[in-house]
Amino acid sequence: MTLRRLALASSWLAVCAGALARREAAQQPVAFAREVQPILAENCLACHGADPDGRKAGLRLDTRSGMLADLGGYAAVVPGKPEESELLRRVTAPDDDERMPPAEHGERLSGSAIEVLRRWIAEGARWQGHWAYQPLRAVEVPAEVPGLAPADPPGHPIDAFVRARLRRTGLQPSPPAPAHVLLRRLALDLTGLPPTPAELREFVSGRTTYEELVDRYLASPAFAVHWARHWLDLARYADSHGFTIDGERSIWPWRDWVVAAIDADMPFDRFTVEQIAGDLLPHATRAQRVATGFHRNTQVNQEGGAKDEENRVNAVIDRVNTTGAVWLGTTIGCAQCHTHKFDPVSHDEYYRLFAFFDQTVDGGVSAEPSMLVPRNDDEEAAAAAWESEFERLQAGYDDARDRAAAGFATWQPARAWGSNGPELRPEEDGSYRVLGQNAVYSTYVLQGRGGGDGFAALRLEALPASGLSAGGPGRARNGNFVLQHARLFVRPWREGAADAEPDLPWRRLPFAQARADVQQDGSASGGKSYPVATAAGTEPGAGWAIAPAFDTPHVAEFTLEQAVDAGDWELRLELQQEHGSSHCLGAFRVALGHAPADDTLVPDAWSAAWRALRVHRGRKPRMPTTLVMQARQHPRTTRVFHRGSFLDPRHEVRPGFPANLDCVATDAEPADRLDLARWLAHRDNALVQRVTVNRWWQQLFGVGIVATENDFGLRGAPPTHPDLLEWLVAEFRRVRFSRKALLRRIVTSATYRQDDTVDSAQRDRDPGNRWLGRQRRLRLSGEVLRDAALAISSLLETRMGGPPVQPPQPDGVFSFTQSKKTWQASTPPDRFRRSLYTRIWRSSPYPFQAVFDTPQANVTCTRRSVSNTPLQALTMANDPMLLELAEGFAGRLLREVQGDDRARLDRAFLLALGREPRAAEVDLVLGHLARVTAAHDPQHGWTAVARLIFNLDEFLNRP
């Protein structure tokens, strides 16, 4: 048979196979999850979904009961009776007034979609839950597929699943990739670096097997560095806080923790738990606390007008949404303002997830809390000693303060605000820190439930604090404040009374007397005196002030004329400060009690403890720090935000999981981040595992088995190979959540090892390679391009860990940022470290990486976009960093190969592309070399050749 006849026969067989596959599909029952549910999600659920506020006509189409419900003499779906089903009548209605979806919401359903709905109803309208939210299915590996090219290696389960799907599509798998192509693909995928000439020789000659090279790359530290980059994208990692000020932050020790965890092949369940809640583990180690930096990668707004509580809430929202995208593959954020239109996540369930992250110490404009990160044994000892002493002093301070306030209980109501701009942030110890605009004068208002056991006195503590002028406790330049009036009001408490009955009258509680540990006395200097009695309204005067005693806490105690009985009360405290010149409190605490405290309101022990703590803070050892999560001792009350606005809190919610995403079914009620972490990492949480293995598949094939890797919901793409995805999850469980073991399983398959060439049948029937009949070329990321150039230039510095470095970049990049920064290029060897260690400014990312689609570090990135722009070509040709590496590549060739330009060219191609140059390439490149060398010298000539190689499409892409 001639080649032409053989090709025609193969094409005819492929056509017949395709027709047979389509006929078989038409004879199968309609699959609700794969065929019907996508039609409903795309066209119906925006108006007829789970959200009760947005639901039209009372019709719900995201549940079987909603579809079958009686709507007043008719139902949307009558199983077995398409002609009686209102759904089918409306999607086929000729009248635009009746047809669904309405014209303003979309096009008419296609004939094929209508036929799917008709067949499904006629077959009994069988219902299935969404595939992604179901427990793991047991699947059988398909048998060998006759008529297809044999797999190499034979018997690999991945190949069995892929080839079974190819058979139904009528396509043939591609042959194996050539050895040099396969090894370059493997090295770049696993390590982010090209293979060495020695590795190529060993592999091509057969002295080293493919499997041995896989194991070598997986065990290499380069694997951990490369795969950490993928995780840092998900974590929105950066070395700066973001927004326009974009101040520098120290969180690189968390980045180093990620590298170390991947290098050690930490099981993914433990990898999850330690990052979500390592600080809550019993006897948490320093490394486990460092791990929690994952969720400290949120932005911090340090601008002057930033509202702390708003920014704290935004950080918590970011943590919820990031957790949803990274682990659940779900657009959780859609439920922030209302029940999700498509996926089964209610508005309340969103804030139940929010509640897990609402109990941390960090504020929205604060870079605290952080922890010391020792680099050696001596630093470890110093850090441990400092932390131990700090804890001892803190405990002593708390004990002294508690003894001084015996008989009083701290009051921290639900609402606190200040007039004219200041913001009152509740602190962990029950105090308030005043942030934001430093108002000339302001009245602070605290309002909420309190006094349940009754009280007879109010205690106001004025507290020094770091960051205040002169250390505080006031916000005036000298640390003073003047409290003109303290007024306290009460009314009966009823849930929602403030909203339902805003005119419910307040009753003022007058003070009988007041006393303070310090009162500013101006008699000696001829100035004004500021006794506390004037603030209580019992004497005329200018108010209470404390100059010149600013270095310790101070207390004022106000006794009521008549005690408040036990009961359910709502209280309102007004602290009026109208002296001017910003003489307002900067940090304070309020307590209510029955019995007056001791005669000494601030005992010497309390003052001494405060001074000791302040001195110790100034003795913090000089070593790296990193941002960490830290749980509050006194939990916040989490409320649902109406329409997502933190200014409109409604009913209280407790931590919990979305019911329809919860296939773990734990009995205990969840309470904190550790419960959330263990739920995500649970062996039975198939959704998390599907999302994870799909993302790793995406890294190796360019697109996941589920193409919408960040949306496994109803609007997301269904898996192209659903049984393969289930098998990968089962395999992931079998290897005990080992990243390296699962990746080894994938890259040793014939599917991964296929060539990337495309025949006409594949181009016509599967242009996007969704059925995996071949491999695909992938444009390298900016980090891998730079690292590859570093490696072949022999300049690469492989040392791991440490602070970020600054490779050369074009001048003037920071001129576009509001807060001007300098970029002093690092000197060797830091100058040539892998790109993972390059400093990331959110306001101005490293330009070479930005040109090659490095994502913004403001939000999680689950898949990088890949563009092809003229700017990329200009950058590869002219970037000063690449020019330096081209010079290094040229110097290496001149050193390693003496006197023979053809041998040098062979060496250059082997290093950069893993192959020898072709005859036509030899003539072109050597001619170019001769012209440049004649005009300059050999170094210039070979630098020109290196630049040419850097710009080859083959160098820019992974085969």
Side-chain angles (χ1 to χ4, degrees):
M1 182 180 290
T2 66
L3 290 176
R4 177 176 175 78
R5 288 182 177 179
L6 181 61
L8 289 173
S10 299
S11 299
W12 176 248
L13 286 173
V15 169
C16 292
L20 179 62
R22 288 188 291 274
R23 188 178 304 115
E24 289 176 352
Q27 294 171 352
Q28 296 293 323
V30 174
F32 174 80
R34 189 177 70 249
E35 299 178 81
V36 177
Q37 204 167 49
I39 296 173
L40 300 176
E42 179 67 25
N43 300 280
C44 308
L45 297 191
C47 297
H48 303 293
D51 183 5
D53 295 332
R55 195 178 301 147
K56 306 294 185 183
L59 173 60
R60 185 171 183 179
L61 296 178
D62 66 323
T63 64
R64 179 172 177 79
S65 59
M67 280 190 167
L68 305 183
D70 187 341
L71 298 175
Y74 65 92
V77 171
V78 180
K81 299 180 179 180
E83 67 282 356
E84 297 181 18
S85 299
E86 184 70 7
L87 172 66
L88 199 63
R89 188 186 76 80
R90 297 298 290 269
V91 299
T92 57
D95 188 345
D96 283 346
D97 291 337
E98 283 202 313
R99 71 104 162 173
M100 290 289 165
E104 64 270 19
H105 286 281
E107 300 291 330
R108 287 181 177 273
L109 266 62
S110 66
S112 59
I114 291 172
E115 180 58 25
V116 166
L117 294 177
R118 186 189 306 278
R119 285 179 53 211
W120 173 66
I121 296 172
E123 291 170 1
R126 288 184 294 272
W127 184 272
Q128 294 173 290
H130 187 55
W131 65 270
Y133 308 142
Q134 304 308 308
L136 184 67
R137 291 187 294 110
V139 295
E140 292 186 4
V141 178
E144 281 291 322
V145 180
L148 290 185
D152 179 23
H156 199 298
I158 289 175
D159 301 326
F161 286 108
V162 171
R163 287 161 185 262
R165 188 66 184 81
L166 286 172
R167 175 183 178 272
R168 295 199 299 273
T169 313
L171 293 172
Q172 283 279 342
S174 295
H180 75 277
V181 171
L182 178 59
L183 189 57
R184 178 171 166 81
R185 174 191 301 161
L186 180 71
L188 289 170
D189 277 349
L190 294 188
T191 71
L193 300 172
T196 66
E199 289 167 342
L200 282 163
R201 285 194 301 271
E202 291 172 7
F203 183 47
V204 172
S205 66
R207 292 196 300 272
T208 302
T209 66
Y210 178 78
E211 288 74 15
E212 289 172 334
L213 283 169
V214 170
D215 292 338
R216 180 188 303 177
Y217 288 148
L218 288 172
S220 167
F223 168 81
V225 172
H226 179 55
W227 280 76
R229 178 69 265 170
H230 304 323
W231 190 253
L232 264 58
D233 280 359
L234 297 170
R236 65 271 195 244
Y237 173 83
D239 299 298
S240 65
H241 291 312
F243 296 98
T244 55
I245 289 180
D246 200 28
E248 184 177 0
R249 69 166 44 158
S250 177
I251 197 170
W252 57 263
W254 172 79
R255 174 250 287 154
D256 288 353
W257 180 92
V258 172
V259 174
I262 294 175
D263 190 36
D265 199 21
M266 179 183 288
F268 190 76
D269 53 352
R270 179 180 160 197
F271 187 73
T272 293
V273 169
E274 294 196 4
Q275 290 185 90
I276 296 290
D279 59 310
L280 300 180
L281 290 169
H283 311 293
T285 65
R286 192 181 299 275
Q288 288 168 334
R289 293 173 62 203
V290 169
T292 63
F294 177 91
H295 270 317
R296 291 306 310 280
N297 282 302
T298 47
Q299 296 186 85
V300 173
N301 191 341
Q302 299 174 306
E303 298 170 24
K307 294 293 185 182
D308 188 81
E309 180 62 10
E310 179 180 11
N311 285 290
R312 187 195 71 80
V313 168
N314 287 341
V316 176
I317 287 170
D318 177 65
R319 288 164 188 159
V320 176
N321 298 348
T322 297
T323 301
V326 172
W327 277 277
L328 301 174
T330 304
T331 55
I332 289 286
C334 295
Q336 176 188 342
C337 301
H338 50 71
T339 291
H340 205 295
K341 296 290 187 183
F342 306 101
D343 297 332
V345 181
S346 72
H347 192 40
D348 275 18
E349 286 175 330
Y350 180 90
Y351 286 95
R352 297 190 74 191
L353 289 173
F354 184 99
F356 286 113
F357 296 104
D358 200 26
Q359 309 305 328
T360 56
V361 173
D362 62 307
V365 299
S366 170
E368 295 296 328
S370 64
M371 62 173 286
L372 297 169
V373 185
R375 293 164 291 190
N376 52 51
D377 290 344
D378 290 342
E379 288 191 347
E380 178 63 47
W386 186 89
E387 290 169 346
S388 177
E389 180 66 5
F390 181 82
E391 290 175 2
R392 187 186 70 81
L393 292 173
Q394 184 68 57
Y397 173 81
D398 293 341
D399 182 63
R401 186 263 162 184
D402 290 344
R403 288 200 306 271
F408 284 80
T410 299
W411 180 50
Q412 194 175 39
R415 301 176 62 200
W417 68 94
S419 63
N420 299 324
E423 180 179 358
L424 276 57
R425 181 179 74 190
E427 296 293 298
E428 174 70 359
D429 61 0
S431 67
Y432 284 92
R433 178 66 183 270
V434 184
L435 304 170
Q437 182 175 331
N438 198 3
V440 173
Y441 52 84
S442 179
T443 296
Y444 300 163
V445 181
L446 284 70
Q447 182 173 324
R449 203 170 188 171
D453 293 331
F455 61 96
L458 179 144
R459 180 181 172 92
L460 175 65
E461 298 175 1
L463 305 172
S466 60
L468 293 175
S469 298
R475 303 186 86 191
R477 296 180 66 180
N478 64 351
N480 205 356
F481 65 88
V482 179
L483 175 64
Q484 265 72 37
H485 297 288
R487 300 185 183 94
L488 185 62
F489 304 86
V490 65
R491 64 183 178 185
W493 169 267
R494 276 180 286 175
E495 189 71 40
D499 295 321
E501 300 179 65
D503 296 327
L504 194 68
W506 290 100
R507 175 168 60 91
R508 185 173 178 182
L509 300 175
F511 298 122
Q513 62 180 8
R515 62 181 184 141
D517 69 311
V518 169
Q519 303 180 102
Q520 184 170 330
D521 185 1
S523 58
S525 60
K528 281 186 177 182
S529 294
Y530 293 86
V532 70
T534 64
T538 57
E539 296 179 9
W544 176 46
I546 60 170
F550 302 133
D551 62 340
T552 59
H554 298 290
V555 172
E557 192 175 275
F558 302 88
T559 303
L560 299 176
E561 287 185 356
Q562 182 177 355
V564 174
D565 296 332
D568 219 357
W569 302 104
E570 182 178 15
L571 306 177
R572 177 185 175 97
L573 174 63
E574 297 177 355
L575 302 175
Q576 183 179 348
Q577 301 153 106
E578 294 185 347
H579 179 77
S581 303
S582 303
H583 277 63
C584 301
L585 282 162
F588 66 95
R589 181 166 40 218
V590 175
L592 303 171
H594 276 289
D598 295 337
D599 290 340
T600 306
L601 294 177
V602 181
D604 291 342
W606 188 10
S607 299
W610 166 254
R611 290 191 182 100
L613 193 59
R614 184 179 63 179
V615 169
H616 186 72
R617 278 190 180 112
R619 293 174 179 168
K620 195 171 189 177
R622 295 180 62 84
M623 63 184 67
T625 62
T626 191
L627 301 178
V628 294
M629 299 286 275
Q630 180 177 321
R632 289 172 57 93
Q633 293 181 354
H634 307 288
R636 292 185 178 94
T637 298
T638 300
R639 297 182 180 276
V640 172
F641 296 155
H642 183 57
R643 296 187 176 181
S645 172
F646 82 104
L647 297 175
D648 192 1
R650 298 294 177 92
H651 56 278
E652 181 180 348
V653 290
R654 295 185 56 80
F657 314 126
N660 286 283
L661 274 59
D662 186 8
C663 54
V664 175
T666 56
D667 295 331
E669 183 178 358
D672 57 27
R673 277 183 290 117
L674 187 55
D675 294 320
L676 172 65
R678 287 172 171 162
W679 176 71
L680 292 171
H682 197 284
R683 181 176 179 82
D684 294 335
N685 200 325
L687 174 59
V688 171
Q689 295 152 24
R690 289 177 181 120
V691 170
T692 301
V693 301
N694 183 72
R695 191 178 297 121
W696 293 347
W697 184 277
Q698 171 184 276
Q699 298 299 337
L700 300 172
F701 290 89
V703 64
I705 296 171
V706 178
T708 52
E709 81 298 328
N710 62 344
D711 186 0
F712 273 51
L714 297 181
R715 294 292 297 274
T720 54
H721 299 74
D723 287 353
L724 172 57
L725 183 60
E726 299 297 279
W727 181 87
L728 286 169
V729 171
E731 182 70 3
F732 194 32
R733 293 180 179 180
R734 188 187 71 80
V735 298
R736 298 183 179 180
F737 304 113
S738 165
R739 182 192 312 254
K740 292 184 178 181
L742 188 69
L743 293 179
R744 188 186 194 280
R745 201 77 163 117
I746 296 173
V747 301
T748 53
S749 68
T751 301
Y752 175 82
R753 296 161 68 169
Q754 293 178 108
D755 201 5
D756 62 351
T757 55
V758 187
D759 62 29
S760 58
Q762 290 175 337
R763 184 181 298 109
D764 294 342
R765 296 184 193 169
D766 188 17
N769 195 33
R770 299 300 293 130
W771 310 127
L772 300 170
R774 61 187 185 276
Q775 255 288 3
R776 63 164 64 198
R777 303 184 77 192
L778 301 176
R779 214 284 318 287
L780 297 178
S781 68
E783 292 93 337
V784 175
L785 280 172
R786 177 175 174 270
D787 290 352
L790 278 166
I792 66 176
S793 70
S794 75
L795 294 173
L796 178 64
E797 166 59 38
T798 58
R799 179 172 56 88
M800 298 171 66
V805 297
Q806 300 184 163
Q809 70 172 1
D811 293 334
V813 171
F814 285 121
S815 63
F816 297 99
T817 62
Q818 173 179 317
S819 180
K820 299 296 185 292
K821 301 173 179 67
T822 60
W823 184 277
Q824 182 66 43
S826 302
T827 57
D830 283 347
R831 187 185 192 93
F832 303 124
R833 299 194 66 195
R834 288 197 67 171
S835 297
L836 181 79
Y837 300 107
T838 298
R839 184 182 301 280
I840 301 174
W841 291 102
R842 281 189 163 105
S843 61
S844 182
Y846 189 59
F848 179 81
Q849 295 173 5
V851 166
F852 284 94
D853 305 310
T854 296
Q856 290 288 327
N858 301 339
V859 294
T860 185
C861 174
T862 57
R863 180 174 59 179
R864 293 190 179 190
S865 60
V866 179
S867 65
N868 187 356
T869 68
L871 184 57
Q872 293 168 353
L874 290 169
T875 299
M876 291 300 297
N878 300 298
D879 190 284
M881 177 270 296
L882 279 178
L883 296 180
E884 182 177 32
L885 300 188
E887 292 173 357
F889 190 18
R892 177 181 186 178
L893 296 173
L894 289 168
R895 287 193 310 271
E896 294 183 356
V897 183
Q898 300 297 320
D900 186 340
D901 285 343
R902 172 59 197 271
R904 286 192 183 113
L905 185 60
D906 289 348
R907 179 71 170 171
F909 268 64
L910 188 65
L911 287 165
L913 308 178
R915 64 172 177 84
E916 294 181 350
R918 303 179 184 96
E921 293 170 333
V922 171
D923 294 340
L924 286 170
V925 176
L926 290 183
H928 181 55
L929 171 68
R931 288 188 295 272
V932 177
T933 301
H936 298 282
D937 55 42
Q939 175 68 39
H940 278 82
W942 281 104
T943 298
V945 171
R947 294 175 66 189
L948 184 154
I949 291 174
F950 286 171
N951 282 273
L952 291 177
D953 186 69
E954 199 172 344
F955 182 77
L956 296 171
N957 289 272
R958 187 224 75 172

